[in-house]
Structures are given as structure tokens and as C-alpha cells.
Amino acid sequence: MRIEAAATGDVETRSYGQAINLALHQEMERDASTFVLGQDVGRMGGVYGITRNLQQAFGSQRVLDTAIVEHAIVGGAVGAALAGARPIAEVQFSDFLMLAGDEVTNKLAKWRFIHGGRLKLPVVVRAPMGATGGAGAEHSQCLEGVFWHTPGLKIVVPSTPDDARGLLKSAVRDDDPVIFFEHRRLYGLRGPVITHPDHTIPLGVAARPREGKDVSLICWSAMVHECLKAAEDLAAEGIDAEVLDLRTLQPLDRAAIAESVEKTGRAVVVSEAVRTAGPAAEIAAHIAEDLFGVLQAPVRRVCGYDTPIPQSAHLEAMWVPAPGDIAEAARQAVRW
Amino acid sequence: MDVATNRLMVLYTEMMRARAIESIALQLVESREFAGFYHPGVGQEAGPIAVCSQLLMQDYLYYAHRGLGYLTARGMDPVEIIGDLLAVEAGSTRGLGAGTVHCVDPARGVLGQGGTLGSCFPLAVGSALASRLLGHGAVVAAFFGDGASARGTFLESAVMALSESLPVLFVCENNGYAVSATTRDTQGVDSLIPRASGLGLESVAVGVEDVREVDEAAKRLIDHARSGRGPAFLEIRSVRRPGHFAGDQQPYRRRDEGLASSEDPVDRAFEDLRRAGVALDVLEQVALTAAQEMEGALAQARRSSKPNEKRLFEGVWA
């Protein structure tokens, strides 16, 4: 497991969910203008336990239980930021960002620009995403591409406990709106976490959890782990795959993509989001436009199918891109 | 002048300023110097003026699109407002061309406005949450029409404002028409008061024609919100006199609807001031001063220039 830079504090083993909880505690402690709002975030501590003990620590005015009011949760965060607060909103499933579509895409993303840059929107919207547990078509999607398509939003997609912690801390301190996509399949994933309150991980800097020279597996969020498994299988066959974890889509670390693809000459972009007009297509287009000269094979994509995600856990497991799919795409690129 | 007459004079003066800047806006529509839609507020000035002139410095305003009196009464510089119509750098958005929908003045609590109707409700509730958290002691006034009152955002925002007992004043200017549709035809009611009070909002309805009555009602509800008793709803009833936008021929408006325009609050205030003994030349001077102020602002805004292509890329990120 990777830890960025020099560890400036103790390192403890925590789950991805606990790491987010730690970051929330630390940032709320650090800045009295922060507050959390959402459904079941207070008394219950969140349906996934991510906001556990926050209300006990900071009171009910800083950790607000709301009704089922996505317009008011996200719009309320916008209005609070305009008046000088630093809100952290939670929608229970990232699919519900669509219920606050105007607030996210027209208010959060555009309000600063349309008002001449004279207002700022230091808002984080935490959005749990991804297919797991048979949650069904309306509670499982990876919609980061939809919101990446809207200028004005920063898009954070962490893959490890420490990234979730460090990137969330940066997101809270950032003066621009951030949609923070937490992958629900990762909440229980455990790993080393830096606990020092001052340690953050900057937005826009990709990580390279595995170095390789034959093919670049470009990914983010839960797919990082599927790519790492695929890379192990490929290594047994003599293919040396590099795994590039983008960590954030906006800002996008184009330099890291270029460095990796220039070295390997082959790229497979892997996303759980659906294929058509999805985020993988944007990255593939970037590579084709800017790095055509170094490519030794066409850029390949491994993505979720262009279908709604099935409710049945049995079918859901078939729907999610698997290491075998990724390894096969990598082999095709290498053998091109 | 007694206190009541003095207050009426203030309201009359602000209404005349609103009317004067609107005549500039209409002139710019006519000359095509303003390329967007302008939604005239003539005949509805009493609401914006009565409410906005009572807000305190720390308060926040989400204004509506009908007329410009919200902004002038809040103390915004007319050069910035007219500059937004002309899309020049003197405008409050520094050349983005807000029209009348995205004017902004953070120092006066004018936190902008959205182009999607009914989108200000959750923002108003959020600003009230922040004010409570940061101890600003602000009341948030959110203006909208009868049309926007039907948005789901209104329900969600009222629910949150009530649950947190937030100082939000919802101000509904019910002029009977949402573009072409009457409130009765599309919402099944003539007044929004039963709906608002049913939700639990402290609700008062008042006619637009007597600005003193609007002023009284606004004062009562602003006091209610400021004293921590929770959100309130003010319905100001009128009948829209002009079209939806400047140039609207209103083919949808039928003679047999019986929708005569409501009595003009400016005319009414003028007569009441005369009856209270204010001299005619004093009132004429108010109108003249307002017109001169706005003509001067127009001249100043016209001296400003439009931005270059660089402006496209500014203000997206902090």
C-alpha cells in the first residue's frame, strides 16, 4: 500500500469508511464554518456509518438531519456557501444527485461564473456510488462522467482509505465545489491511513500503485483494485502492466497519463461507469488526440455494460467489469 | 412631516427610482442595446420596495426577475445594474451581461439569482443556515412569482426552513399570470396563502395598491423571522399590467377574463402624499431626481467597454 510523501504523522490501519469519518472529524474541528447536512447523517451517523459520532462531537446545528429533500440539501449547501459557510452535503446514493440536478449542474457548477466570479462556493457533496449488494438500477450507478461533463465541478474518485481521507480534506479546504464520489464497495476496505490532521493529498495528482512497462491500465475508484488484480494475472504471463490511479477526474492529471503512456505505448482505460459517452471515452479521446505518436496499439476501454444495473446480486456480479475483462483488453493491446 | 408621511415619502421615492431605472431598461430593449428579455415590473413596485427597504445590512436578498426595484432599494449602484444590461465591464458581473437575472452585490447581501425559476428557495434556506452557524443574525428574503411557487423546491425549502425554524421570508408576488397561464387555471387556486399556511409558514396576504399596507405586512413578517419564530410567507396580490416580457403582445389574454390591472401603487402613494399636504412640486422633484440619477447611471455605464475573449475563461474556478 502506498502512502504519499513522507508520513507526517502516525499511520494506523483503518477502513475506507473510517478514513472518511476521520477526515470529517478533523476538518470540522479545524474550521468552525464547516457543517454537514443530509439524510440520516446525525443521530444515525449515516446509513453507511460514515458520519458516525459527528453529531455527538459537533452538535445538531453542525450535523443536520434533513428530510428527503435533495433540492434543499444541495441547494442549501450552495446558499450556505454563498453566505460564508463551508458545507459538506451528503446525498445517500450518488444516483440522487439527479434529484438535485438543477442545484448541482446549474447552481453549484455555474453560480460563481454567472455572477462574474464574485462569489465562491466551497461546497463538498459526498456521493456514495457503485454497484454492490443488489441495490438495483437506481442506487448503483457511477455517474462521475455526467458531472465531469459540467464545467465548474471538481470530481474526486478515491480508491484507497488514505486517499479518501487525504483527498476529502483537500476537498473541504478547496474554494471550488467538489463532488466527492465514495465507492460503496470500498467502504470496508482496510489499509494504512495517515492520522495527522495537517496531512492532505492534493487534488489533480494521480498515483501509480503499480509500475510497469508494457501497458498502462488507467483507472480510478474501485476499478483500481480490479486493475491491480488483472496486473498480477498479466505478470504471470510475462506482461508488465502499469496501474495509474487518476484519483480526480477534474482536475485531470494529464501529465501523469502522458508520462505513463509514453513509456508503455499502450493504454486500457477502465471504468465502472457505462461505456457510451462515459468518462473512459473522454480519457481515451485525450490519449488519441495528444499521444497518438507514441501509441503502439489502439486505446481500449473496459467499462460497465450499456444497460441498467440489475437488481439481482447474482446478475450484478456479472455486470461489474472484472479483472479477467481488463487482462483480456491488455493482452489485445500488447499483441496488436 | 409626520412619521407615517415621512415613511410614505421614502417608499414613494424608492418606487420612483425603480420606475426610472425600468424606463432605462425599456429604452435599451427598444434600441436593442440590451439583447435579452426584460420583464417589466411596472405596477408591482410596492412589494420589492417595501421589503427591500426594510432589510438590514447583514440580511440577504434573492430577488426576482420582474422589475429592478429589489436591487435599487437594496442600495445597489444603478451603474452596475445598467452595466449588466449593456453587458459591459461596469456591470455587477464585470461584463458577462447578466441582464436582470444574475446581478450580484455581495457587500449588500445580494447573492445573485438563478435563471431557473424556483431555484432560489433552497439557496435562501442555506444562507439562513449559514447565518445561524456564523452568528450573522441575517434574515433572508426570497422573491418569486405565483408561477415559481408551484416548484417542488418550494415544498422542500419550506420543510427545511420550518424544521430548523430559520429566518426566511418567502415573498410571493402573485400577479395572476405565469407567462400566459393564470394561477387559477394552472394551480387551481387564486391565492397561495392556504398552501403556505398549510405548510406551517406564518402567512399574510396583502394587495399591491397600497404600499403602506405592504410595508406594514412586510415589517410584521420580517420581525417574525428575525425574532426566531421561523419562516414566513408574504403574498402580494396584483394583476400583471405589462406582458411577460417587454414586447409581449399577450395574445393569450382574453377580454372576458375580467382581469383588469390592479390599481397602481405609485399613483396611490402620490395621491396619499398630496392629501397629507406634500406639495406638488416636491413630488415632481422626486420624479425628476430619479430620472436624472438613472440617466446619469446610463451615461456612465455607456462609457464602459465590453470584455474581450479572455472573459470567457474567467470566474469558473476560485
Side-chain angles (χ1 to χ4, degrees), chain A residues 240-288:
Chain A
D240 189 13
E242 173 149 304
V243 178
L244 186 68
D245 176 357
L246 294 176
R247 286 171 155 173
T248 66
L249 296 179
Q250 176 65 50
L252 181 65
D253 191 347
R254 287 168 179 266
I257 295 172
E259 189 190 331
S260 179
V261 176
E262 279 165 7
K263 178 175 65 177
T264 62
R266 300 175 188 90
V268 177
V269 188
V270 184
S271 88
E272 186 172 321
V274 300
R275 183 180 183 88
T276 298
E282 176 58 32
I283 293 162
H286 157 61
I287 295 168

Side-chain angles (χ1 to χ4, degrees), chain B residues 14 35 39-40 47 119 123 139 146 158 184 187 192 202 234 238 243 307:
Chain B
E14 281 302 332
H39 306 285
S119 62
L123 274 58
V139 165
D146 43 286
R184 163 59 60 183
Q187 299 195 43
L192 284 316
E202 178 75 10
L234 175 61
S238 66

